[in-house]
Amino acid sequence: MSKCEQCIIRQLSSLKALSKDELLKISDCKVSQVVKKGEAIFEEGEHLNGVFCVRSGTSKLTKLSPNGKNQIVKFVNKGDLLGQRSVISEETVNLSAVALEDMEVCFIPKQEIIDAFKKNTNFSIEVIRDVCGDLKKADDFVVTMAQKPVKERLATALLYFQENFGKDENEFIRVQLSREEIASVVGTATESLIRMLSDFSKKGLIETKGKKIKIRNEHKLELLSEGI
C-alpha cells in the first residue's frame, strides 16, 4: 500500500499542503479500494464520513433532475479529491459519483480532514481554493453551454474530453462515454446527438468506432466550437 507522503498524486490536490506528520497520520488510517466501472463511489443525498482521493481512473458526477434523469455536471480524474466540500460544510452530497472505468481511490476519514483543516492554515486555504475553482469552472461551463448553439456545444465537449481524458494508443479519446452520457453533457436529445456525430464524421472532424471517438481535425473542431 502506498504511503501518502510518498504518493505523487497528493501533489495534484489540496493534500500537498499537509505536513509530513499529518500525511503519516492519514496514511495510517486511510483505506484503499477499487471501484469497478459503473459502480457508485457515493450517491446524492448521502452523508459522507470522509473524502476520496482518486489515485487512478475517471468518474462522472451527476445530479438527478426533476424529470428523473441524471444530468452530468462534471468529471473527476486522477489527483482529484471527492467530497471535501460536503465534509467541511457537514452537508449531504448534492451529486452522485459513478466510475466511468475501473478506479483506485483512497478513503480518508472525516475527522482527519477536519483536524487538518482546523490546525493547518495552508491546507484550509488550499481546500477553499479548490472549492472556489470548482465553482468558477461550473459558472464558466453553464455560461458556455447556455450561449452556444448545440453543434458548438458538441464540439466544445469533444475537445474537453480529449484534453481531460487523453488519448489511447490508437488516438481515440481514452474514456468511452455512451451516446446518452455525451447528450447529457451537451444538453440535447440522444437522437439529435447521434445525428450530429454522424454529420461530424462525414465532414472529417471525427471518427467513430462503437463508443470510441477520435478527433480527426482538431483545428476545424476548435473553430466550430468558437462559432467560426
Side-chain angles (χ1 to χ4, degrees), residues 92-128:
T92 59
V93 285
N94 67 332
L95 301 172
S96 296
V98 178
L100 288 171
E101 57 187 344
D102 289 352
M103 301 177 67
E104 185 179 358
V105 301
C106 291
F107 177 76
I108 304 170
K110 175 180 179 178
Q111 196 55 52
E112 303 304 324
I113 297 297
I114 296 295
D115 288 347
F117 188 82
K118 290 179 178 178
K119 297 174 183 177
N120 186 329
T121 304
N122 289 332
F123 176 64
S124 57
I125 289 173
E126 287 296 331
V127 171
I128 292 169

Side-chain angles (χ1 to χ4, degrees), residues 165-174 176 212 214:
F165 300 151
K167 297 182 285 186
D168 65 16
E169 64 277 7
N170 295 313
E171 300 293 306
F172 286 95
I173 295 171
R174 188 176 59 81
Q176 297 175 35
K212 294 182 178 182
K214 178 192 298 186

Side-chain angles (χ1 to χ4, degrees), residues 69-189:
K69 291 186 177 181
N70 280 310
Q71 173 70 43
I72 295 178
V73 176
K74 66 174 290 189
F75 297 93
V76 172
N77 295 306
K78 179 174 70 175
D80 287 328
L81 286 183
L82 283 167
Q84 59 181 351
R85 185 193 63 79
S86 298
V87 165
I88 297 298
S89 65
E90 296 189 338
E91 298 175 340
T92 59
V93 285
N94 67 332
L95 301 172
S96 296
V98 178
L100 288 171
E101 57 187 344
D102 289 352
M103 301 177 67
E104 185 179 358
V105 301
C106 291
F107 177 76
I108 304 170
K110 175 180 179 178
Q111 196 55 52
E112 303 304 324
I113 297 297
I114 296 295
D115 288 347
F117 188 82
K118 290 179 178 178
K119 297 174 183 177
N120 186 329
T121 304
N122 289 332
F123 176 64
S124 57
I125 289 173
E126 287 296 331
V127 171
I128 292 169
R129 281 176 176 166
D130 281 354
V131 172
C132 290
D134 284 344
L135 289 172
K136 182 180 183 300
K137 288 177 183 177
D139 289 344
D140 290 344
F141 184 77
V142 168
V143 171
T144 296
M145 289 306 189
Q147 293 180 345
K148 289 185 176 184
V150 67
K151 284 190 177 182
E152 293 177 22
R153 299 203 301 267
L154 175 57
T156 300
L158 293 174
L159 291 166
Y160 170 87
F161 296 154
Q162 179 170 279
E163 179 182 352
N164 285 271
F165 300 151
K167 297 182 285 186
D168 65 16
E169 64 277 7
N170 295 313
E171 300 293 306
F172 286 95
I173 295 171
R174 188 176 59 81
V175 173
Q176 297 175 35
L177 299 173
S178 69
R179 299 302 185 248
E180 290 80 8
E181 288 171 328
I182 298 174
S184 173
V185 174
V186 174
T188 189

